[in-house]
Amino acid sequence: MPEAVSSGLGRNGPWLQNRWLRVESRQDDASVSLVALDGGFRPTERATASMQARAQARLGFEHCDYDIQPHEDALGRGRLLTLIARAPRRGLILRREVALYDAMPFCVTRAGVTSEAAAPLALDALHVFETAAGRGRLQLASRPADWRIYRNGWQSWAPTMSFGGADLDVRSAPPVLAPEPPAPSPGSFASDDVGVLYDPSSARSLLAGAVTARDFVTQVAVDAPGRSMDARCLLDGITLDPGETIWSERIAVDVVGTPNEQLARYGDALGRLMGARVPATTPAGWCSWYYFFTQVTEDDILRNLRFLEGHRRELPVQTVQIDDGYQADIGDWLTVNEKFPHGMAWIASEIRRAGYTPGIWLAPFLLAESSKTYAAHPDWVVRAEDGAPVVAQHNWQRRNFGLDGSHPEALTWLTGLFQQVCDGWGYDYVKIDFLFGAAIAGRRQDPRTTRVRAYRAALDAVRLGVGHQRFILGCGALMAPSVGVFDGNRIGPDVAPFWRFLTHEERSQPRPRPRAADDGLSAESAIRNTLARSWMHRRLWANDPDCLLVRTDRTKLTLDETRTLASVIGLSGGMMLASDDLDRVPSERLELISMLLPPLPRSAVPVDLLDRDMPGRFELEAEGPAGPARLVGLFNFDDDARDLSAPLPTGRWHAVELWDARYLGVVEHTLSFPRVAPHACRVVALAPVSGEPALVATTAHIGMGALDVASCAWDPDAGRLRIGLAPAGRSRRRVFFASAGWAPVEALLDGERIELSGAGEVRWVDITVERASLLGIGFDPPSRR
Ligand code: 9PG
């Protein structure tokens, strides 16, 4: 039974407390100070709230009244503290709420403003949690240059990673944000939705993040040299009318535990408050884009469909998704080009007849300047102050404008479009792309809308047309504001059949240039976001880490790099989308796809997320009925060979490495690999050393037994270890088992005697299994030796 929230009145104002956290407030400025009760971490003495109206000075709180009430919402029961200040000369009432829950280690705060003035007021921002100057400045044990900042990008493709307190942030591409952020200076960061500040010396961290995102863009700014943090909602200049109240989004503030724990809790809270749709199982499929690009033809789709049909057992995917390339123009989705002569309904029915879910790509919030839709409805796009349409994306050799989600006709068009694509043509899976097009800064039909409201309205119109049962995969999408609409979401930039994008000139250098934070389009940057956003998976939606590319033609990826890409996607538990021309993939490369099917039920955790830009340790506590206890992915993201190591949980472990299919011996304290090649990885299964013969690991699937082993039982009377093998992963596999002093004498696969390999404590069998099978190992007891 968690104790309930308590509250009281301190010297400066009221406080709330639960078993993890104490929130102290001040009535003179409505500031709050959070104290973690395990160790007393208090990053700031005063975090204030304030309002920014257009062309006016910032308005803060003075001399607050307060109120404390019992509270209950989707996050549970607790108490709600409200601080209220009147600014009589302006006719404004400011409110700040702080909710503390009985069973949550964080608090949730928001700020609101009510107008009793005679005239409307244009609002630019509500600052919801901002460290005050002077005593409010962030007090951490490390020097600001040593702080680490987790920075989330504003949309699917945007760089997400941790930075050091003296690094330079990346910019979000204009014209998406207004006001445009200032050019970054060292140590100054603007993170979207959520940000984490980590103090390496004390290993403490502070997370601030929006747990609702239906109205406003929320940014968390951290300025390390200035020792400040500001979590604020951008109000896009909407007007506050006399008598009206406007509330900010709700911002969770967490000072308890590790950054990964905080991000997991934050994701859970955001998912709950926004009604996340998480599919029962994470889907897998094939996508046409990364081999065929816009040149894709009907025949390319059919050939790959036939290949999948012929390899159902090896490649058990559900979806066949046609990407960009079938449509007449961006915006003219229902007119199909000559490369799809039988039309889109016909090919959907072919896909369905073969037993797959038909999937299709659209960029529904973009209208190309050349499109018939734009020509007929020039008033449907977002415009600049001068009336010119705002270019959301230059692509396909033309300008593309952003759809105005506040325009009722545009919304009706969207719903009808998706009714036709889904009910008419027969697609049950839609990848909707370049969605930020509806969230760009600019003028919209309804002056009371905001970027996020217009974006949500457009998304809701799509969902209405698609229906509630079908799958929507977002792409180029806002993050928090999309929760509750998507079933899946792309969480990184486009993968590519090369490790890092290098210009011709850069390629001729003796050493590759180092990666840059804003590198897009590469295996490396897709991997970086997959690691850094793994906490979103199955909390907000199913993560789409982008496609796995395993081919040997039209690729510059080495085998090491391909395995690293597969390992990160696999351990992330995210959607598994293959995007090769399958006919051309050698069989040992097809096995890489098989090894990720089906996806793991949960994501691994990037343990060193806040330590470096690309985490090198991706670890998962496994939970299969019989598989290994733990999976450890170790990655060398350097451009030189490097030693890799990871501390181990207490105990003695049998360790097996996946890609070498090798038993590493009994490990304790640390797992280490000397001189791992650049961009290579090691994936290790750990099974506790025990007193009885037991399964250690397999090499069929990235889970190394988590999904491909259905059962495992040791029968001491019969001297038999019985391992039930499930048909997951590739059929060719090595199964490692520990003898615990007993002497293995025979191995039987479904009653057939097979060869036992190896010597010593852990041995193995090399087998090929295409259906559920029983592996029996017979032992002589230790005494008979
Ligand atoms: C189809 C592709 C694929 C891919 C998406 C998205 O900046 N750009 O010009 C740009 C072009 C393509 C792109 C992203 C950015 O990729 O992520 O999976 O669907 O569109 O055009």
Side-chain angles (χ1 to χ4, degrees), residues 157 289-290 323-324 361 393 395 431 433 475 490 494:
W157 308 326
W289 180 250
Y290 296 91
D323 214 280
D324 185 2
W361 172 96
Q393 178 86 30
N395 194 9
K431 173 179 175 183
D433 200 355
C475 189
R490 257 285 283 290
D494 286 20

Side-chain angles (χ1 to χ4, degrees), residues 638-692:
D638 286 0
D639 296 329
D640 298 297
R642 184 161 72 85
D643 299 347
L644 298 181
S645 70
L648 293 173
T650 316
R652 302 178 71 232
W653 306 91
H654 290 302
V656 167
E657 204 284 327
L658 175 65
W659 298 114
D660 287 341
R662 200 161 68 84
Y663 174 59
L664 305 173
V666 174
V667 293
E668 250 181 306
H669 309 300
T670 321
L671 185 63
S672 40
F673 294 93
R675 293 200 57 76
V676 174
H679 314 165
C681 71
R682 299 288 183 268
V683 175
V684 178
L686 299 174
V689 174
S690 83
E692 292 180 343

Side-chain angles (χ1 to χ4, degrees), residues 194-248:
V194 59
V196 182
L197 173 60
Y198 178 66
D199 175 20
S201 298
S202 65
R204 303 299 309 227
S205 58
L206 163 62
L207 171 146
V211 289
T212 58
R214 292 191 175 88
D215 296 301
F216 309 119
V217 169
T218 298
Q219 283 192 328
V220 180
V222 173
D223 178 34
R227 294 179 173 272
S228 69
M229 177 187 259
D230 177 19
R232 64 210 176 198
C233 295
L234 307 182
L235 272 55
D236 298 353
I238 56 167
T239 53
L240 176 70
D241 286 336
E244 196 190 4
T245 298
I246 290 178
W247 282 105
S248 74

Side-chain angles (χ1 to χ4, degrees), residues 155-157 287 289-290 293-294 321 323-325 327 330 361-363 393-396 431 433-434 436 475-476 490 492-495 521 544 546-547:
Q155 56 113 333
S156 299
W157 308 326
C287 160
W289 180 250
Y290 296 91
F293 301 99
T294 52
Q321 184 241 309
D323 214 280
D324 185 2
Q327 73 283 355
I330 301 299
W361 172 96
L362 293 90
Q393 178 86 30
H394 245 292
N395 194 9
W396 307 278
K431 173 179 175 183
D433 200 355
F434 293 92
F436 62 83
C475 189
R490 257 285 283 290
D494 286 20
V495 73
L521 192 70
D544 169 11
D546 209 9
C547 297

